[in-house]
Amino acid sequence: MATGSGALASPSLRLGSIGRARRRPLILAAAGAIALVVALVLGVGLGTVAISPLDTLAILAHRLVGLDLGRTWTPAMETIVWDLRLPRVLTSMVVGVGLAVSGATFQGLLRNPLADPYVLGTASGAALGAAIAVVIPIRATFLGFGLIHALAFVGALAAVFTVYRLSRIGGLSPLTSLLLTGYAVGSLLAAGLAMAMYLSGAALRQIFSYLLGGFDTAAWSQLGAAATLVAAGSVLILLRARTLNGLLLGEEAAVHLGVNVGRERAILLALASLVTAAAVAVSGLIGFVGLVVPHVVRLIVGPNARVVLPLAALGGAALLAFADLAARLLGEIPVGVVTAVIGAPFFLFLLRRSRSGYEL
Amino acid sequence: MTATPSPSPSAVPAFPTTLTDDEGTAVKLTAEPHKIVSLTPSATETLFALGVGDRVVGKVEDLSVYPPAAAAIPDVAKFGSVDVEKIVGLGTDLVIAGGNSFNPPDKIAQLRTLGVPVVVLYAPDIPTVFSDIELIGTAVGKAAEAKDLTTSMKAGFDQIQAATTALPKPRVFYELDASQKIYTAADNSFLAAMIVLAGGSPITTGSTTNFEIPLETLITKDPEIILLGDAAYGTTADIVAARPGWKVMTAVKAKAIKPVDDVIITRPGPRLVEGLRALAAAIHPDANVPSAAPEASSGAATAGPAMSPSAAP
């Protein structure tokens, strides 16, 4: 997995030796895995209701493997651990994976350090879809999915599709055209969102809470659907990591490497958008993770997409799981606030340490 | 609504029962609820007035909490958020929530998914206030007490309305908030209906959904009385009179600007009679609005003991 990473990473990172550089991804992966386990344990163990760790363990053992640890608990405790906390922690991890992987993909594809999962109108599309779902008086749910999830998902994909089609008209270079079209379409959708919010009356708070994002209504059914889409999309993106590396070198270089640039770009855009849409449909709009986690990983291990993508997935999952835990324990404050407060200083620290040579 | 109230509540086999809440959802209650969570201030007041305040295990945060005994109940929700984990952890067997997005609909759906029965109430008009109190009564096994309460409330309403009906109807502007834009009663709103019953002619926004009124419209409609529902937030008659453009209004010239207790006037609970009485007294200070005394004695049978939990059975 790490083959070639040292060669690509070392010039830009002033590393001591190739050997150390080769070990870095492994160390980061181990740290990420430990962080994930800790986040899972804390996330399931802590909450506004105190449940002893032994009871929590007994409930999990009972539900997961049918093991009886000789303890008794109330149905309320079982519901809290199994139907509230566990799906919530896992949803935050799945969304973290989705946002970090799609963020890394968009940054590579667009060769723009400011790109994030929302850059091509996904966020505005999803938000407008969610706002429309709130404003129209239909309260249908299907398999645990409300209209708000469905329209956010559709809105995100429709926005990216529109941006992609419009960007192919005209004579600008494809990347510039994509970014500017994304900005224009996003602005138009934002106007629609503002109008929907103005008309929403008492439902305004619902739209607002979608815009802030969060995992407070996570449930198994939604988790299942989001996890399937995020996992499938992320694996398919990872299988195209070589293409992504080629595109990172520039269009001409990619062509020389035998990459069918137009086709591959469209496929990667579609996959990253699908992953983003699945994430925002269940969580609302959570900023910062998709922008910063890929940068942090690249600053540490270099730009090779084969290494960056899985490590970004780990990092995104761990960051969002911890951020959501903090948000929950601080009285359900918006999780996006926590990701920024935790992540921004760390990111600045890393940027200061590696002043020279960091480029996408 | 589905259960028939009987004169002796202890003998009523009212459960299991299925009720229909204000959003049309059928809510099944297998047994009489004993761990109730109230997610609206008016439901908290109603539960106490029905004598089941001691069964309320959690409530929404309420800055004007009433009755005082309710202050001791732990908060499980605040404006815009609901702590589902806490509600489940309390072993809650009934949640009474507010509709029209008062409580987040996704949280209500989540509670129902977890098997907690939720009755959603929303009273856009005064008759629904009464039917909501009766619905709460049915849900907690106090249908007869609820019927008594609403009967006495309706009598109070009729009395006040009878006293004001022949009086002139001054144009009343009820200020909900004017710190940024000016907010007042919408057409056909609950608040507009209260002002009509209190013997006033409400100045409304001209729309049933918009609560904002432009200053130009307000000046054109020329209020004769200004009632400050935002008095609790520091608005005074002097502040109103000093606002640019307001001094042309009849009410400002006549110094007919009065603070009112917005909580009892707009909270759709058992104290609404007091609210209407306060409103009528503010609009018709010289008229003989029926005092609280006769109504209070008739209502004491139901409302009295509920105010002190020690007296509740």
Side-chain angles (χ1 to χ4, degrees):
Chain A
M1 196 168 86
T3 37
S5 72
L8 273 165
S10 51
S12 64
L13 278 163
R14 298 184 298 162
L15 296 175
S17 71
I18 298 293
R20 258 182 72 198
R22 279 184 192 283
R23 278 203 302 275
R24 279 191 175 210
L26 292 176
I27 295 168
L28 200 62
I34 292 168
L36 267 191
V37 173
V38 172
L40 185 66
V41 169
L42 291 178
V44 176
L46 298 176
T48 48
V49 174
I51 298 175
S52 81
L54 282 176
D55 286 338
T56 309
L57 205 63
I59 292 167
L60 291 179
H62 170 71
R63 292 301 293 253
L64 284 172
V65 287
L67 194 65
D68 184 7
L69 294 187
R71 295 185 70 88
T72 53
W73 57 83
T74 64
M77 287 156 75
E78 185 167 330
T79 302
I80 289 171
V81 170
W82 188 258
D83 289 316
L84 289 174
R85 290 183 188 169
L86 192 57
R88 181 170 179 162
V89 178
L90 294 178
T91 304
S92 70
M93 290 177 176
V94 165
V95 170
V97 168
L99 293 178
V101 166
S102 65
T105 309
F106 276 120
Q107 286 168 4
L109 265 183
L110 301 170
R111 272 185 287 140
N112 187 316
L114 277 179
D116 73 356
Y118 306 146
V119 70
L120 295 185
T122 339
S124 327
L128 181 59
I132 290 171
V134 168
V135 172
I136 60 176
I138 301 172
R139 290 287 160 266
T141 51
F142 178 69
L143 296 176
F145 285 89
L147 198 59
I148 191 163
H149 304 113
L151 288 194
F153 184 75
V154 171
L157 289 181
V160 176
F161 183 72
T162 309
V163 168
Y164 181 73
R165 293 305 298 263
L166 289 178
S167 75
R168 290 161 64 88
I169 307 163
L172 285 175
S173 83
L175 290 190
T176 313
S177 179
L178 258 179
L179 277 169
L180 293 180
T181 312
Y183 184 77
V185 171
S187 303
L188 196 63
L189 292 171
L193 172 68
M195 198 60 208
M197 288 174 82
Y198 178 74
L199 295 175
S200 61
L204 178 63
R205 221 162 354 125
Q206 257 179 288
I207 301 177
F208 191 58
S209 81
Y210 180 84
L211 293 181
L212 291 173
F215 303 102
D216 51 338
T217 49
W220 284 113
S221 53
Q222 299 168 19
L223 172 63
T228 309
L229 286 175
V230 168
S234 300
V235 167
L236 290 175
I237 290 172
L238 188 60
L239 291 176
R240 291 176 184 273
R242 200 182 142 267
T243 311
L244 207 52
N245 279 337
L247 288 172
L248 208 52
L249 296 173
E251 218 160 292
E252 270 185 50
V255 171
H256 290 310
L257 287 171
V259 176
N260 181 345
V261 172
R263 179 168 161 269
E264 290 299 317
R265 186 184 287 135
I267 292 173
L268 280 165
L269 265 183
L271 288 173
S273 303
L274 184 71
V275 169
T276 308
V280 299
V282 293
S283 71
L285 302 182
I286 297 169
F288 199 79
V289 178
L291 175 71
V292 162
V293 169
H295 282 306
V296 168
V297 171
R298 263 188 232 104
L299 278 164
I300 298 173
V301 302
N304 181 0
R306 276 189 215 177
V307 185
V308 169
L309 286 170
L311 287 178
L314 262 180
L319 174 60
L320 258 193
F322 275 113
D324 182 52
L325 179 66
R328 191 148 59 92
L329 296 181
L330 292 172
E332 294 291 358
I333 62 171
V335 68
V337 172
V338 183
T339 51
V341 168
I342 299 176
F346 182 61
F347 185 42
L348 284 173
F349 167 75
L350 278 179
L351 279 179
R352 280 182 63 86
R353 274 198 47 192
S354 55
R355 271 181 295 258
S356 69
Y358 176 66
E359 269 178 80
L360 250 180
Chain B
M1 303 195 97
T2 48
T4 319
S6 140
S8 162
S10 56
V12 180
F15 296 91
T17 185
T18 302
L19 343 139
T20 306
D21 73 7
D22 287 351
E23 288 183 345
T25 310
V27 184
K28 191 162 188 275
L29 298 171
T30 48
E32 184 167 314
H34 285 279
K35 289 179 175 174
I36 305 166
V37 163
S38 162
L39 294 183
T40 71
S42 59
T44 309
E45 288 197 24
T46 303
L47 289 164
F48 272 84
L50 294 178
V52 293
D54 54 343
R55 294 198 217 158
V56 183
V57 294
K59 69 168 199 311
V60 68
E61 184 183 51
D62 181 4
L63 299 177
S64 319
V65 65
Y66 188 88
I73 298 167
D75 291 344
V76 296
K78 52 187 170 191
F79 189 74
S81 76
V82 174
D83 192 336
V84 172
E85 175 169 323
K86 219 178 236 174
I87 291 174
V88 171
L90 287 166
T92 306
D93 50 14
L94 173 65
V95 173
I96 298 170
N100 195 29
S101 295
F102 182 87
N103 299 123
D106 50 355
K107 298 288 187 155
I108 292 168
Q110 192 181 21
L111 282 165
R112 284 178 172 152
T113 310
L114 298 171
V116 182
V118 185
V119 172
V120 180
L121 302 179
Y122 172 60
D125 52 36
I126 291 160
T128 316
V129 175
F130 299 132
S131 67
D132 279 354
I133 290 175
E134 288 166 15
L135 191 58
I136 292 178
T138 309
V140 302
K142 295 281 180 191
E145 288 82 348
K147 193 75 194 165
D148 288 348
L149 177 57
T150 54
T151 305
S152 110
M153 285 177 73
K154 283 174 190 164
F157 265 71
D158 290 345
Q159 254 182 331
I160 298 162
Q161 197 187 359
T164 57
T165 187
L167 300 172
K169 302 283 182 290
R171 295 182 301 275
V172 175
F173 165 66
Y174 189 102
E175 180 173 302
L176 288 169
D177 178 33
S179 50
Q180 303 274 330
K181 293 169 175 176
I182 305 166
Y183 294 95
T184 189
D187 289 12
N188 301 324
S189 64
F190 183 89
L191 183 54
M194 287 287 283
I195 293 168
V196 170
L197 287 179
S201 168
I203 292 177
T204 55
T205 58
S207 144
T208 53
T209 52
N210 186 6
F211 283 76
E212 186 197 333
I213 187 167
L215 180 57
E216 291 181 12
T217 309
L218 182 58
I219 288 172
T220 314
K221 297 213 177 168
D222 189 29
E224 293 168 275
I225 296 175
I226 295 176
L227 298 179
L228 300 177
D230 51 358
Y233 301 98
T235 309
T236 62
D238 289 343
I239 291 175
V240 173
R243 286 179 191 152
W246 285 60
K247 60 178 176 294
V248 297
M249 299 178 201
T250 305
V252 179
K253 285 185 214 153
K255 299 196 186 308
I257 307 174
K258 297 165 201 172
V260 290
D261 182 354
D262 184 62
V263 170
I264 56 172
I265 293 168
T266 56
R267 188 176 282 187
R271 288 192 292 164
L272 203 58
V273 186
E274 289 171 48
L276 186 62
R277 193 173 292 120
L279 205 51
I283 295 171
H284 296 289
D286 302 325
N288 185 21
V289 177
S291 74
E295 201 278 323
S297 63
S298 71
T302 49
M307 297 310 159
S308 59
S310 55

